[in-house]
Amino acid sequence: MRQRKYICEIFSGMGTTDELFEQIGFEENPLYEQIIADLLERKYSVIDGFFASEEVDLLRDSIMEKYQDHEFKKAAIGNKTNEVIEKSIRGDFILWLDEEKAGEAEKIYFDKINSLVSYLNRTCFMGILNKEFHYAVYPEGTFYKRHLDTFQNDGRRKLSMVCYLNKENWPPENGGELAIYLDKNGVEEEVAIYPLAGRIVIFESQELEHEVKTVKVPRYSITGWLKTR
């Protein structure tokens, strides 16, 4: 917290952080503060129960209905200017979400994400102006090889986010864990994060390589990015 406030003071040019927060009517959110502290300390954050079970149920029903209606497409690698479908690298199917056309379930999702984004911009001056999200379905036997969530010709992605929508508790034998790779004083450490319902994972897009391990049971999620201009 102290480090975050110091950074804010440097960029604000408006006196101390406490004075600035008083001016903007700031009210501290403990959950969002935990996310910020995690990002500062280790560049990623895992929050269980970010979405309540009834919210997850609505989102899962929506993703499954759209998937069964064949609204998804095979995921590609690269950005929209040079997309390539490469099954040896990733095997998921995706459906991009349009906030302006959001249904009941998707509106719940975007409302919570917008609240978080507003908090990050007000307290950390992150300059997040855009976001992009898609539903993701990983059928049995699929994966996404190790990669970074940024492109040589586009560095706007700052934070990556994943929200898990599977119904049951997820035992390790189901596979499909998110592996994040950390550099600990020159020694690589792999962190395994399992897709538990309602859990979100947030990490620095340009810093942390990661992959989705092979799934044994279909895996449902929303994946996206918070972007600067």
Side-chain angles (χ1 to χ4, degrees):
M1 168 70 76
R2 195 174 308 148
Q3 179 185 3
R4 194 282 302 277
K5 285 188 174 182
Y6 174 68
I7 293 172
C8 290
E9 288 168 14
I10 291 176
F11 282 100
S12 69
M14 297 174 64
T16 69
T17 305
D18 290 337
E19 291 172 347
L20 177 61
F21 286 172
E22 286 179 7
Q23 293 175 27
I24 64 177
F26 172 74
E27 182 177 344
E28 186 173 283
N29 183 308
L31 182 60
Y32 296 167
E33 287 295 330
Q34 182 60 56
I35 292 172
I36 293 167
D38 289 342
L39 290 172
L40 283 171
E41 179 181 352
R42 59 188 187 182
K43 301 183 180 180
Y44 76 94
S45 181
V46 180
I47 302 295
D48 289 331
F50 188 87
F51 288 92
S53 58
E54 58 270 19
E55 295 170 333
V56 175
D57 289 344
L58 284 171
L59 288 164
R60 184 176 58 254
D61 288 346
S62 181
I63 189 175
M64 293 182 70
E65 178 183 356
K66 290 175 172 57
Y67 186 67
Q68 292 167 0
D69 287 344
H70 307 289
E71 297 183 35
F72 284 61
K73 69 174 184 178
K74 190 72 179 65
I77 59 173
N79 59 11
K80 294 180 180 179
T81 63
N82 58 354
E83 285 187 335
V84 176
I85 293 177
E86 182 52 75
K87 294 181 180 179
S88 65
I89 295 178
R90 67 183 297 185
D92 55 322
F93 291 80
I94 66 171
L95 175 64
W96 289 101
L97 299 178
D98 185 340
E99 186 173 2
E100 294 183 358
K101 300 178 181 178
E104 177 187 3
E106 292 77 23
K107 187 177 186 304
I108 291 172
Y109 179 82
F110 279 112
D111 284 348
K112 282 203 169 184
I113 298 304
N114 288 337
S115 173
L116 173 60
V117 169
S118 176
Y119 194 92
L120 292 174
N121 281 340
R122 293 179 71 191
T123 64
C124 295
F125 308 99
M126 293 192 66
I128 297 169
L129 299 176
N130 299 294
K131 55 188 178 295
E132 54 185 14
F133 288 95
H134 61 67
Y135 280 131
V137 175
Y138 282 82
E140 181 180 353
T142 58
F143 51 83
Y144 194 165
K145 292 293 188 179
R146 182 169 172 170
H147 64 284
L148 272 177
D149 279 350
T150 190
F151 309 109
Q152 290 183 348
N153 63 345
D154 186 351
R156 292 175 296 168
R157 290 178 176 178
K158 299 305 177 185
L159 293 177
S160 301
M161 299 184 63
V162 187
C163 168
Y164 297 115
L165 303 177
N166 282 77
K167 184 173 184 178
E168 71 278 2
N169 287 328
W170 193 274
E173 55 265 27
N174 282 359
E177 67 269 30
L178 174 68
I180 291 179
Y181 296 95
L182 306 177
D183 183 347
K184 296 288 188 177
N185 298 318
V187 178
E188 183 172 270
E189 176 182 330
E190 178 181 335
V191 178
I193 303 169
Y194 287 91
L196 305 184
R199 166 180 281 179
I200 66 164
V201 184
I202 304 175
F203 57 93
E204 293 191 18
S205 303
Q206 300 181 20
E207 295 289 334
L208 298 185
E209 292 189 346
H210 55 284
E211 67 177 305
V212 177
K213 302 287 190 175
T214 302
V215 305
K216 308 295 178 57
V217 176
R219 177 184 183 273
Y220 304 101
S221 65
I222 298 177
T223 298
W225 300 271
L226 304 182
K227 304 169 64 176
T228 55
R229 188 185 300 276

